[in-house]
Amino acid sequence: MVRKVVYSIFLAIIVLALAMFFAAYPFGKNKMTVGEYYLNHGVAQTGAANIVTSVVLDYRGFDTLGEVSVLFAAAAGVAILFFLAGGTKREQEDLTKPNFVVRVGSRIIFPFILLFGSYIFIHGHLTPGGGFQGGSIIASGFLLLYLSYPGTRTNRDGLSIIEGLAGLTFVVLGLIGLFLPQYSFLYNFLPKGTLNTIVSAGILPIIYIAIGFKVASEFAGIVDDMMCQVICRGGGK
Amino acid sequence: MILVSWVLIILMIALAILSIELKNLIAAVVAVGAVSLVISLLFLLIQAPDVAMAEASIGAALTMAIYIIGVRKTERSEKDG
């Protein structure tokens, strides 16, 4: 009984505090000025036609490095989990072979998915999308391949090498900024070029291409680990 | 435009309820993927194509695949109770 009374008092305090907080908060108005600053100065300062990219890679480039590391940690976690689970024998499942239309259709459409994904991350500084989106589209292409040809295995060493090189490119490009007179991590040291051309915005397209490769190989690795749990004999590798 | 977004929002809520109520888990996973697809259309309507792309490729394709693999390894349908 006493406990219930204490709980309800605490609940009332929390509800009251939240209500006061939200009542004091202006709704539907501009609360920050930083967005306006990016809209007005983003194109001139970074040379990227896509404002979202200029924020993600230039103004908040260090956050993106953290985001990429989080994704890497998640992929590594999945791999470790399944590597540890791989020791136990699992009953082998019969996978029905996908029908003719799926197999041939996926073989035709797979290169176009790769092309589309790479288009998105190469044009990340010009059109909507970027490394994360393009990379996940490429990984979904790999998923299609796994689903239509159940025996497929990706070359995991190749994936690891691509992933490591892409991450290294990002970090090295960031570190070069520290050796310049401007002395800031991820400083955009390359010339900005003309707006709306492929070779513009300095290091942003290079970073986005690196992120695209990294995300694609990480997601493809996760898909490979997961599909292996279904397909591989005895689980694991 | 407003009408389209309302139709999409109602469709999204209906699909979300469907994904909880369905007993066949594969069908429920497909409903979850459809929710992501509708959300990505809504992101496109409010002019956020970057987010829409990420939602469509990760939410509708990769997450759904991971769920389906999970369902394959466990129970195919939900038990009552």
Side-chain angles (χ1 to χ4, degrees):
Chain A
M1 185 64 202
V2 178
R3 187 176 281 183
K4 273 186 183 169
V5 171
V6 173
Y7 282 169
S8 25
I9 288 172
F10 273 116
L11 196 66
I13 290 172
I14 290 171
V15 169
L16 198 69
L18 281 179
M20 281 165 72
F21 173 74
F22 281 116
Y25 218 57
F27 187 74
K29 292 197 189 87
N30 244 350
K31 289 173 280 287
M32 287 184 276
T33 51
V34 66
E36 223 163 287
Y37 177 81
Y38 289 155
L39 283 179
N40 292 331
H41 299 84
V43 174
Q45 284 181 347
T46 63
N50 182 5
I51 297 280
V52 178
T53 300
S54 69
V55 174
V56 167
L57 286 188
D58 196 290
Y59 296 111
R60 296 282 178 268
F62 193 58
D63 293 14
T64 306
L65 185 59
E67 225 169 284
V68 170
S69 328
V70 167
L71 200 62
F72 171 73
V78 169
I80 290 170
L81 197 67
F82 284 143
F83 181 74
L84 292 180
T88 54
K89 283 277 174 196
R90 290 158 195 280
E91 75 273 30
Q92 131 192 4
E93 288 179 62
D94 288 327
L95 279 177
T96 47
K97 205 176 175 192
N99 68 22
F100 179 75
V101 177
V102 174
R103 277 183 285 133
V104 175
S106 69
R107 180 165 279 194
I108 292 170
I109 211 170
F110 178 67
F112 290 102
I113 293 177
L114 288 192
L115 186 68
F116 181 57
S118 13
Y119 164 79
I120 281 177
F121 68 68
I122 291 170
H123 289 73
H125 57 304
L126 304 175
T127 54
F132 292 99
Q133 289 89 341
S136 53
I137 287 171
I138 289 179
S140 67
F142 275 101
L143 176 71
L144 183 71
L145 215 59
Y146 276 104
L147 292 179
S148 44
Y149 294 91
T152 319
R153 293 303 314 276
T154 325
N155 180 358
R156 289 307 298 271
D157 296 337
L159 280 185
S160 311
I161 291 170
I162 291 172
E163 191 186 328
L165 282 181
L168 197 68
T169 312
F170 194 167
V171 175
V172 165
L173 275 175
L175 286 177
I176 289 174
L178 287 180
F179 293 103
L180 294 173
Q182 287 82 8
Y183 195 68
S184 84
F185 189 69
L186 278 174
Y187 177 74
N188 199 344
F189 56 87
L190 289 177
K192 305 278 190 295
T194 25
L195 189 68
N196 272 327
T197 50
I198 288 249
V199 186
S200 66
I203 61 170
L204 301 194
I206 305 175
I207 294 179
Y208 244 171
I209 289 170
I211 291 178
F213 274 105
K214 193 165 164 62
V215 170
S217 51
E218 269 162 7
F219 275 137
I222 292 178
V223 168
D224 183 66
D225 283 330
M226 294 239 165
M227 291 306 282
C228 189
Q229 287 296 302
V230 177
I231 294 159
C232 294
R233 308 261 185 273
K237 282 186 181 173
Chain B
M1 205 62 144
I2 302 283
L3 183 73
V4 173
S5 59
W6 274 107
V7 169
L8 286 178
I9 288 171
I10 290 167
L11 183 67
M12 185 182 85
I13 294 172
L15 282 167
I17 293 172
L18 199 66
S19 71
I20 299 171
E21 291 298 324
L22 279 172
K23 293 293 175 207
N24 182 349
L25 287 179
I26 294 280
V29 167
V30 171
V32 171
V35 171
S36 291
L37 212 58
V38 177
I39 291 176
S40 78
L41 284 178
L42 279 168
F43 279 136
L44 205 60
L45 277 183
I46 57 172
Q47 302 186 353
D50 296 76
V51 191
M53 273 170 167
E55 180 68 40
S57 60
I58 297 175
L62 291 173
T63 315
M64 212 168 97
I66 288 171
Y67 274 133
I68 287 177
I69 293 167
V71 170
R72 274 194 70 96
K73 297 302 286 184
T74 52
E75 298 276 320
R76 185 65 182 259
S77 69
E78 194 176 339
K79 292 190 186 72
D80 287 317

